[in-house]
mmCIF file of all heavy atoms in Angstrom:
data_model
loop_
_atom_site.group_PDB
_atom_site.id
_atom_site.type_symbol
_atom_site.label_atom_id
_atom_site.label_comp_id
_atom_site.label_asym_id
_atom_site.label_seq_id
_atom_site.Cartn_x
_atom_site.Cartn_y
_atom_site.Cartn_z
ATOM 1 N N GLY B 56 68.121 71.151 -196.936
ATOM 2 C CA GLY B 56 69.024 72.042 -197.660
ATOM 3 C C GLY B 56 68.335 73.180 -198.376
ATOM 4 O O GLY B 56 68.992 74.103 -198.883
ATOM 5 N N GLU B 57 67.012 73.169 -198.415
ATOM 6 C CA GLU B 57 66.268 74.262 -199.079
ATOM 7 C C GLU B 57 66.408 75.552 -198.276
ATOM 8 O O GLU B 57 66.519 75.505 -197.046
ATOM 9 C CB GLU B 57 64.780 73.907 -199.146
ATOM 10 C CG GLU B 57 64.333 73.344 -200.485
ATOM 11 C CD GLU B 57 62.808 73.320 -200.582
ATOM 12 O OE1 GLU B 57 62.188 72.528 -199.836
ATOM 13 O OE2 GLU B 57 62.257 74.098 -201.371
ATOM 14 N N THR B 58 66.353 76.710 -198.946
ATOM 15 C CA THR B 58 66.217 77.984 -198.231
ATOM 16 C C THR B 58 64.846 78.532 -198.578
ATOM 17 O O THR B 58 64.521 78.754 -199.746
ATOM 18 C CB THR B 58 67.316 78.981 -198.641
ATOM 19 O OG1 THR B 58 67.319 79.143 -200.039
ATOM 20 C CG2 THR B 58 68.682 78.516 -198.166
ATOM 21 N N VAL B 59 64.030 78.713 -197.513
ATOM 22 C CA VAL B 59 62.624 79.079 -197.719
ATOM 23 C C VAL B 59 62.322 80.387 -196.987
ATOM 24 O O VAL B 59 62.646 80.508 -195.808
ATOM 25 C CB VAL B 59 61.689 77.966 -197.171
ATOM 26 C CG1 VAL B 59 60.224 78.323 -197.386
ATOM 27 C CG2 VAL B 59 62.031 76.631 -197.791
ATOM 28 N N ALA B 60 61.734 81.324 -197.689
ATOM 29 C CA ALA B 60 61.298 82.565 -197.041
ATOM 30 C C ALA B 60 59.791 82.500 -196.837
ATOM 31 O O ALA B 60 59.059 82.174 -197.776
ATOM 32 C CB ALA B 60 61.660 83.763 -197.891
ATOM 33 N N VAL B 61 59.336 82.777 -195.611
ATOM 34 C CA VAL B 61 57.893 82.873 -195.353
ATOM 35 C C VAL B 61 57.593 84.364 -195.279
ATOM 36 O O VAL B 61 58.139 85.072 -194.418
ATOM 37 C CB VAL B 61 57.509 82.173 -194.031
ATOM 38 C CG1 VAL B 61 56.016 82.282 -193.788
ATOM 39 C CG2 VAL B 61 57.953 80.717 -194.059
ATOM 40 N N VAL B 62 56.776 84.830 -196.208
ATOM 41 C CA VAL B 62 56.495 86.259 -196.269
ATOM 42 C C VAL B 62 55.002 86.517 -196.110
ATOM 43 O O VAL B 62 54.185 85.617 -196.280
ATOM 44 C CB VAL B 62 57.020 86.882 -197.597
ATOM 45 C CG1 VAL B 62 58.533 86.833 -197.663
ATOM 46 C CG2 VAL B 62 56.413 86.184 -198.799
ATOM 47 N N GLY B 63 54.700 87.760 -195.783
ATOM 48 C CA GLY B 63 53.293 88.123 -195.625
ATOM 49 C C GLY B 63 53.179 89.361 -194.775
ATOM 50 O O GLY B 63 54.155 89.829 -194.183
ATOM 51 N N GLU B 64 51.960 89.909 -194.716
ATOM 52 C CA GLU B 64 51.717 91.118 -193.923
ATOM 53 C C GLU B 64 51.814 90.787 -192.434
ATOM 54 O O GLU B 64 51.751 89.617 -192.045
ATOM 55 C CB GLU B 64 50.291 91.637 -194.223
ATOM 56 C CG GLU B 64 50.058 92.047 -195.653
ATOM 57 C CD GLU B 64 50.892 93.255 -196.049
ATOM 58 O OE1 GLU B 64 50.977 94.186 -195.225
ATOM 59 O OE2 GLU B 64 51.495 93.242 -197.138
ATOM 60 N N SER B 65 51.883 91.826 -191.619
ATOM 61 C CA SER B 65 51.832 91.605 -190.165
ATOM 62 C C SER B 65 50.501 90.934 -189.824
ATOM 63 O O SER B 65 49.450 91.328 -190.358
ATOM 64 C CB SER B 65 51.903 92.941 -189.430
ATOM 65 O OG SER B 65 53.186 93.470 -189.548
ATOM 66 N N GLY B 66 50.543 89.936 -188.948
ATOM 67 C CA GLY B 66 49.323 89.255 -188.529
ATOM 68 C C GLY B 66 48.895 88.164 -189.489
ATOM 69 O O GLY B 66 47.822 87.569 -189.318
ATOM 70 N N SER B 67 49.710 87.878 -190.507
ATOM 71 C CA SER B 67 49.300 86.854 -191.475
ATOM 72 C C SER B 67 49.567 85.448 -190.948
ATOM 73 O O SER B 67 49.114 84.472 -191.534
ATOM 74 C CB SER B 67 50.034 87.072 -192.810
ATOM 75 O OG SER B 67 51.439 86.995 -192.606
ATOM 76 N N GLY B 68 50.329 85.325 -189.847
ATOM 77 C CA GLY B 68 50.564 84.009 -189.235
ATOM 78 C C GLY B 68 51.963 83.463 -189.492
ATOM 79 O O GLY B 68 52.223 82.283 -189.232
ATOM 80 N N LYS B 69 52.879 84.331 -189.984
ATOM 81 C CA LYS B 69 54.236 83.866 -190.319
ATOM 82 C C LYS B 69 54.960 83.295 -189.083
ATOM 83 O O LYS B 69 55.495 82.197 -189.138
ATOM 84 C CB LYS B 69 55.098 85.047 -190.850
ATOM 85 C CG LYS B 69 54.561 85.768 -192.061
ATOM 86 C CD LYS B 69 55.535 86.802 -192.559
ATOM 87 C CE LYS B 69 55.818 87.944 -191.580
ATOM 88 N NZ LYS B 69 54.693 88.834 -191.353
ATOM 89 N N SER B 70 54.976 84.077 -187.996
ATOM 90 C CA SER B 70 55.713 83.643 -186.809
ATOM 91 C C SER B 70 55.071 82.407 -186.184
ATOM 92 O O SER B 70 55.765 81.532 -185.658
ATOM 93 C CB SER B 70 55.772 84.773 -185.782
ATOM 94 O OG SER B 70 56.563 85.812 -186.292
ATOM 95 N N THR B 71 53.731 82.337 -186.274
ATOM 96 C CA THR B 71 53.036 81.155 -185.728
ATOM 97 C C THR B 71 53.460 79.920 -186.505
ATOM 98 O O THR B 71 53.739 78.860 -185.914
ATOM 99 C CB THR B 71 51.508 81.348 -185.825
ATOM 100 O OG1 THR B 71 51.183 82.568 -185.170
ATOM 101 C CG2 THR B 71 50.765 80.202 -185.178
ATOM 102 N N LEU B 72 53.533 80.057 -187.830
ATOM 103 C CA LEU B 72 53.953 78.924 -188.654
ATOM 104 C C LEU B 72 55.387 78.512 -188.299
ATOM 105 O O LEU B 72 55.687 77.324 -188.166
ATOM 106 C CB LEU B 72 53.858 79.306 -190.150
ATOM 107 C CG LEU B 72 54.289 78.213 -191.133
ATOM 108 C CD1 LEU B 72 53.418 76.964 -190.968
ATOM 109 C CD2 LEU B 72 54.207 78.711 -192.580
ATOM 110 N N LEU B 73 56.254 79.530 -188.101
ATOM 111 C CA LEU B 73 57.637 79.241 -187.733
ATOM 112 C C LEU B 73 57.685 78.471 -186.404
ATOM 113 O O LEU B 73 58.425 77.484 -186.265
ATOM 114 C CB LEU B 73 58.425 80.556 -187.601
ATOM 115 C CG LEU B 73 59.926 80.410 -187.409
ATOM 116 C CD1 LEU B 73 60.605 80.158 -188.748
ATOM 117 C CD2 LEU B 73 60.524 81.663 -186.784
ATOM 118 N N GLY B 74 56.871 78.929 -185.437
ATOM 119 C CA GLY B 74 56.829 78.275 -184.135
ATOM 120 C C GLY B 74 56.387 76.819 -184.246
ATOM 121 O O GLY B 74 56.924 75.942 -183.560
ATOM 122 N N LEU B 75 55.400 76.562 -185.127
ATOM 123 C CA LEU B 75 54.910 75.183 -185.286
ATOM 124 C C LEU B 75 55.953 74.311 -185.981
ATOM 125 O O LEU B 75 56.167 73.151 -185.613
ATOM 126 C CB LEU B 75 53.608 75.180 -186.088
ATOM 127 C CG LEU B 75 52.395 75.787 -185.364
ATOM 128 C CD1 LEU B 75 51.224 75.972 -186.324
ATOM 129 C CD2 LEU B 75 51.981 74.896 -184.199
ATOM 130 N N LEU B 76 56.627 74.890 -187.014
ATOM 131 C CA LEU B 76 57.644 74.118 -187.738
ATOM 132 C C LEU B 76 58.830 73.783 -186.821
ATOM 133 O O LEU B 76 59.428 72.721 -186.937
ATOM 134 C CB LEU B 76 58.166 74.916 -188.952
ATOM 135 C CG LEU B 76 57.168 75.116 -190.108
ATOM 136 C CD1 LEU B 76 57.761 76.042 -191.176
ATOM 137 C CD2 LEU B 76 56.814 73.771 -190.735
ATOM 138 N N ALA B 77 59.114 74.722 -185.879
ATOM 139 C CA ALA B 77 60.257 74.511 -184.981
ATOM 140 C C ALA B 77 59.893 73.660 -183.764
ATOM 141 O O ALA B 77 60.759 73.349 -182.945
ATOM 142 C CB ALA B 77 60.781 75.861 -184.518
ATOM 143 N N GLY B 78 58.615 73.301 -183.662
ATOM 144 C CA GLY B 78 58.204 72.500 -182.506
ATOM 145 C C GLY B 78 58.139 73.305 -181.232
ATOM 146 O O GLY B 78 58.145 72.753 -180.138
ATOM 147 N N LEU B 79 58.081 74.635 -181.374
ATOM 148 C CA LEU B 79 57.932 75.470 -180.175
ATOM 149 C C LEU B 79 56.488 75.428 -179.694
ATOM 150 O O LEU B 79 56.196 75.714 -178.532
ATOM 151 C CB LEU B 79 58.317 76.926 -180.479
ATOM 152 C CG LEU B 79 59.761 77.185 -180.897
ATOM 153 C CD1 LEU B 79 59.958 78.653 -181.291
ATOM 154 C CD2 LEU B 79 60.719 76.821 -179.768
ATOM 155 N N ASP B 80 55.585 75.100 -180.604
ATOM 156 C CA ASP B 80 54.158 75.067 -180.289
ATOM 157 C C ASP B 80 53.558 73.841 -180.987
ATOM 158 O O ASP B 80 54.188 73.260 -181.874
ATOM 159 C CB ASP B 80 53.511 76.374 -180.815
ATOM 160 C CG ASP B 80 52.177 76.642 -180.138
ATOM 161 O OD1 ASP B 80 51.797 75.897 -179.215
ATOM 162 O OD2 ASP B 80 51.509 77.626 -180.550
ATOM 163 N N VAL B 81 52.351 73.470 -180.587
ATOM 164 C CA VAL B 81 51.687 72.334 -181.251
ATOM 165 C C VAL B 81 50.439 72.842 -181.985
ATOM 166 O O VAL B 81 49.802 73.799 -181.537
ATOM 167 C CB VAL B 81 51.296 71.226 -180.243
ATOM 168 C CG1 VAL B 81 52.522 70.477 -179.772
ATOM 169 C CG2 VAL B 81 50.540 71.811 -179.066
ATOM 170 N N PRO B 82 50.098 72.225 -183.106
ATOM 171 C CA PRO B 82 48.964 72.714 -183.905
ATOM 172 C C PRO B 82 47.617 72.354 -183.283
ATOM 173 O O PRO B 82 47.520 71.430 -182.479
ATOM 174 C CB PRO B 82 49.151 72.001 -185.243
ATOM 175 C CG PRO B 82 49.913 70.766 -184.927
ATOM 176 C CD PRO B 82 50.765 71.076 -183.750
ATOM 177 N N SER B 83 46.599 73.101 -183.675
ATOM 178 C CA SER B 83 45.229 72.758 -183.256
ATOM 179 C C SER B 83 44.664 71.694 -184.200
ATOM 180 O O SER B 83 43.886 70.843 -183.789
ATOM 181 C CB SER B 83 44.327 73.993 -183.312
ATOM 182 O OG SER B 83 44.911 75.058 -182.636
ATOM 183 N N GLN B 84 45.035 71.795 -185.432
ATOM 184 C CA GLN B 84 44.637 70.762 -186.396
ATOM 185 C C GLN B 84 45.868 70.397 -187.238
ATOM 186 O O GLN B 84 46.802 71.178 -187.353
ATOM 187 C CB GLN B 84 43.558 71.253 -187.378
ATOM 188 C CG GLN B 84 42.249 71.721 -186.754
ATOM 189 C CD GLN B 84 42.225 73.218 -186.539
ATOM 190 O OE1 GLN B 84 42.777 73.971 -187.349
ATOM 191 N NE2 GLN B 84 41.612 73.651 -185.446
ATOM 192 N N GLY B 85 45.769 69.213 -187.883
ATOM 193 C CA GLY B 85 46.815 68.797 -188.801
ATOM 194 C C GLY B 85 48.079 68.355 -188.090
ATOM 195 O O GLY B 85 48.077 68.141 -186.867
ATOM 196 N N GLU B 86 49.150 68.240 -188.856
ATOM 197 C CA GLU B 86 50.362 67.670 -188.293
ATOM 198 C C GLU B 86 51.610 68.221 -188.974
ATOM 199 O O GLU B 86 51.586 68.537 -190.171
ATOM 200 C CB GLU B 86 50.305 66.136 -188.485
ATOM 201 C CG GLU B 86 51.427 65.374 -187.841
ATOM 202 C CD GLU B 86 51.534 65.661 -186.357
ATOM 203 O OE1 GLU B 86 50.837 65.001 -185.565
ATOM 204 O OE2 GLU B 86 52.290 66.586 -185.997
#
Side-chain angles (χ1 to χ4, degrees):
Chain B
E57 261 193 292
T58 54
V59 180
V61 180
V62 294
E64 298 294 318
S65 289
S67 60
K69 302 185 296 292
S70 293
T71 305
L72 179 60
L73 188 81
L75 291 170
L76 291 174
L79 297 175
D80 199 5
V81 287
S83 309
Q84 301 95 35
E86 186 56 86

